[in-house]
């Protein structure tokens, strides 16, 4: 084996130990040019000559070895075959590195998604993930408890079917405004929703927009008890006000009667019976 063949063999051994695509490209581009400094890379099928960017040269290996070299007198058949075999080997290594990276990325995405779901489930409040077209794509357990629906009854459905008519127009308007400019729509506001029993539930919505996807994260707090208590308090306050007005009217009437009695007693020569404080 000549010195060039020996160098190529050592390079092949070294490359076979590498797992990262970036490392494979870096080592190959540096070493192949040090062994054959006069070679020019010619890429096929486009037949584009590359002499400047090493990584651009080496990335062509993704075409599974469709690379030839030319430099005139140094290109003997045996060396040329070694280089071609090395290129094919590097192409295989790159493919495996890509597959490993894809698998690693897929695993990382699954782990991230699992963590995201865990956070989504443990927020402590009823939460929905809503698509731009108003479709519900996720609902946590708190949301199921609040509405009475199952996941199957919520996910894939439009949220508009769970909104009381009085609030529907306002919610659709805010949904569209939020996608035009988040600042144009209120982040928090009160609405009326319908649970599975068809009951109206008063709710406070807290909505955040995921700008990249156009999705909304909707947090729902049931404030029905508070609204009912406030309405009952207002009713009692109105009742008390009516009672006070009634009592005040009676008091005025009593004073007038007492005055009349005193006047009659005075005219009959008798002393006044009632002391009236103005």
């Amino acid at each position: 084996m000549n010195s060039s063949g020996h160098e190529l063999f050592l390079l092949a051994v070294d490359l076979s130990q590498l797992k990262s695509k970036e490392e494979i490209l870096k080592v190959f581009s540096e070493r192949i040019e040090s062994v054959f400094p006069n070679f020019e890379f010619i890429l096929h099928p486009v037949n584009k000559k590359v002499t400047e960017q090493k990584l651009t040269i080496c990335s062509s290996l993704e075409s599974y070895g469709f690379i030839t070299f030319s430099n005139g007198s140094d290109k003997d058949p045996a060396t040329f075959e070694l280089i071609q075999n090395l290129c094919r080997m590097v192409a295989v290594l790159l493919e495996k590195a890509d597959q490993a990276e894809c698998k690693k990325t897929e695993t990382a995405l699954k782990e991230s998604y699992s963590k995201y779901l865990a956070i989504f489930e443990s927020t402590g409040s009823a939460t929905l993930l809503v698509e731009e077209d108003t479709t519900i794509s996720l609902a946590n357990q708190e949301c199921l408890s609040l509405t009475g629906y199952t996941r199957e009854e919520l996910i894939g459905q439009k949220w508009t079917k769970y909104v009381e008519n009085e609030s529907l127009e306002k919610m659709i308007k805010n949904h569209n405004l939020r996608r035009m400019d988040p600042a144009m729509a209120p982040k928090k506001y009160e609405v009326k929703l319908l649970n599975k029993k068809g009951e109206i539930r008063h709710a406070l919505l807290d909505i955040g927009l995921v700008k990249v996807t156009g999705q909304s994260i909707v947090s729902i707090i049931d404030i029905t008890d508070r609204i009912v208590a406030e309405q009952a308090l207002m009713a009692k306050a109105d009742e008390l006000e009516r009672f006070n007005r009634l009592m005040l009217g009676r008091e005025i009437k009593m004073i007038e009667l007492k005055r009349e009695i005193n006047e009659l007693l005075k005219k009959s020569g008798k002393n006044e019976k009632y002391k009236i404080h103005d």
Side-chain angles (χ1 to χ4, degrees):
M1 182 183 294
N2 58 33
S3 61
S4 296
H6 182 70
E7 289 288 338
L8 289 173
F9 174 76
L10 292 178
L11 176 56
V13 173
D14 290 343
L15 291 172
S16 66
Q17 308 303 310
L18 301 175
K19 303 298 181 184
S20 164
K21 182 178 178 180
E22 289 72 18
E23 287 182 320
I24 293 170
L25 289 171
K26 182 175 184 295
V27 172
F28 176 79
S29 64
E30 291 176 351
R31 294 273 293 278
I32 196 70
E33 290 186 355
S34 68
V35 177
F36 300 101
N38 297 322
F39 271 5
E40 293 179 346
F41 289 75
I42 302 176
L43 313 183
H44 292 285
V46 295
N47 198 33
K48 179 180 178 182
K49 187 178 294 187
V50 180
T51 57
E52 296 180 357
Q53 298 182 359
K54 295 179 181 180
L55 291 184
T56 301
I57 294 169
C58 296
S59 66
S60 65
L61 294 171
E62 294 181 9
S63 63
Y64 295 93
F66 289 101
I67 300 177
T68 59
F69 303 86
S70 65
N71 74 325
S73 59
D74 290 340
K75 192 184 71 173
D76 62 274
T79 301
F80 179 75
E81 185 178 355
L82 285 173
I83 295 174
Q84 287 283 55
N85 288 335
L86 178 62
C87 287
R88 291 186 173 88
M89 171 191 164
V90 173
V92 172
L93 291 176
L94 289 174
E95 182 183 21
K96 288 183 177 179
D98 271 342
Q99 291 173 348
E101 186 63 30
C102 287
K103 187 173 182 180
K104 183 179 178 181
T105 301
E106 183 181 352
T107 301
L109 286 173
K110 287 181 179 179
E111 290 177 354
S112 297
Y113 186 68
S114 296
K115 291 177 182 177
Y116 168 76
L117 284 181
I119 295 172
F120 187 78
E121 281 293 341
S122 60
T123 56
S125 62
T127 307
L128 293 172
L129 182 65
V130 175
E131 302 299 323
E132 191 169 1
D133 66 353
T134 74
T135 300
I136 299 171
S137 52
L138 280 178
N140 68 358
Q141 184 59 48
E142 288 292 332
C143 191
L144 308 183
S145 300
L146 174 65
T147 64
Y149 291 101
T150 65
R151 277 194 174 85
E152 292 73 20
E153 291 171 321
L154 287 178
I155 295 176
Q157 301 296 318
K158 306 287 188 180
W159 57 254
T160 51
K161 67 183 293 186
Y162 306 106
V163 179
E164 203 271 334
N165 288 334
E166 183 181 329
S167 298
L168 186 57
E169 183 178 350
K170 175 174 64 175
M171 288 186 67
I172 292 176
K173 178 182 176 182
N174 288 337
H175 179 85
N176 294 330
L177 285 175
R178 189 171 292 107
R179 278 144 187 83
M180 293 170 58
D181 180 358
M184 296 174 64
K187 188 176 186 299
K188 295 182 180 182
Y189 63 100
E190 295 181 12
V191 298
K192 294 179 180 179
L193 305 179
L194 298 172
N195 64 14
K196 190 171 182 178
K197 295 179 180 179
E199 299 169 334
I200 295 176
R201 305 299 295 180
H202 297 267
L204 174 64
L205 304 185
D206 188 335
I207 305 174
L209 180 67
V210 183
K211 292 183 179 180
V212 177
T213 62
Q215 296 170 308
S216 294
I217 298 179
V218 184
S219 177
I220 307 170
I221 299 176
D222 190 334
I223 58 172
T224 303
D225 291 344
R226 190 198 80 189
I227 295 296
V228 170
E230 288 176 354
Q231 291 173 342
L233 181 61
M234 290 176 62
K236 287 296 181 183
D238 289 342
E239 183 180 349
L240 180 60
E241 181 64 24
R242 289 195 300 272
F243 179 76
N244 286 336
R245 286 197 298 268
L246 178 62
M247 293 303 296
L248 179 60
R250 287 181 177 179
E251 183 66 23
I252 293 173
K253 185 65 176 177
M254 289 295 294
I255 292 174
E256 290 176 351
L257 289 172
K258 288 178 180 179
R259 279 201 178 101
E260 290 178 5
I261 292 172
N262 284 342
E263 286 294 326
L264 291 172
L265 289 171
K266 186 177 179 181
K267 288 180 179 180
S268 63
K270 298 180 181 179
N271 294 328
E272 295 181 350
K273 184 176 180 180
Y274 298 106
K275 290 184 178 181
I276 300 174
H277 302 284
D278 292 329

